Amino acid sequence: MTEKRLKAAASRLFFALWPDDPLRESLRHSTRKAIRASGGRPVPPQNLHVTLAFLGSVADADRAGVAAAAVNVREPAFRFTLDELKVWPRAKTLVLAPGTASAELARLYSQLWDGLEETGFAREARPFRPHVTLARKVATPGKMTLAAPIEWCADAFALVRSITDPAGAQYKVIRRWALQGESPQGPGR
């Protein structure tokens, strides 16, 4: 099989918490001053998310295993708060992260990766640092102000395809899985 055919038969995939429109608007509104002050390139609002598992290039034939890992997640819906703006100097990114660790978010991450490892994916060696990337190529961070903390009500997670073109990354949700139990009140998906 030629290299061109191999590329056509694979997709760059990741699992993420994907915000609904009201939550996305809250993220945009609450962080716009910090993004502007960072001097960085803002991430388009439609691309905001919390990555749970980056899989990289996945052969289309392996997607069934990816879906099987997601089906076996048995974490209930939960809430967590994004309330800490940070600049990651090495990556030159501005992120919004939880100031306090979320045990539920850590369990969701672990359950998902446990299933992915069973289907042959290797868990990332670096520790899980949940965050929303707000801006890239941060020049000089200015005053880091957050208009208001963001409460995310996680009641589902998604498998997302990343397509990179000259205009930047475009993300397309392929499928969503509901978390178990009742959805907590408030925006978020």
Side-chain angles (χ1 to χ4, degrees), residues 27-28 30-44 47-49 83-97 129-146:
L27 285 163
R28 189 195 66 74
S30 192
T31 61
R32 69 177 177 228
K33 287 181 182 176
I35 292 170
R36 198 173 314 125
S38 78
R41 187 187 66 201
V43 170
N47 285 358
L48 298 175
H49 66 277
D83 56 358
E84 196 170 281
L85 288 165
K86 299 178 182 183
V87 172
W88 289 350
R90 188 172 176 173
K92 296 183 179 177
T93 56
L94 172 66
V95 301
L96 180 61
R129 295 193 302 173
H131 66 279
V132 176
T133 301
L134 303 170
R136 299 184 187 284
K137 298 184 179 179
V138 170
T140 307
K143 187 176 179 187
M144 304 289 282
T145 58
L146 182 64

Side-chain angles (χ1 to χ4, degrees), residues 77-112:
F78 61 93
R79 294 172 175 265
F80 66 99
T81 302
L82 295 164
D83 56 358
E84 196 170 281
L85 288 165
K86 299 178 182 183
V87 172
W88 289 350
R90 188 172 176 173
K92 296 183 179 177
T93 56
L94 172 66
V95 301
L96 180 61
T100 303
S102 165
E104 297 90 352
L105 188 52
R107 280 194 307 268
L108 173 59
Y109 167 83
S110 289
Q111 282 185 29
L112 188 54

Side-chain angles (χ1 to χ4, degrees), residues 14-21 23-24 46 48-49 67 70-71 152-153 155-160 171-179 188-189:
F14 62 94
F15 282 103
L17 294 178
W18 203 258
D20 60 14
D21 289 338
L23 179 57
R24 185 175 287 110
Q46 68 272 16
L48 298 175
H49 66 277
V71 167
W152 193 311
C153 300
D155 60 3
F157 64 99
L159 179 62
V160 183
Y171 300 144
K172 178 178 173 23
V173 173
I174 296 172
R175 186 169 171 196
R176 292 181 195 267
W177 287 268
L179 294 173
R189 278 220 154 90

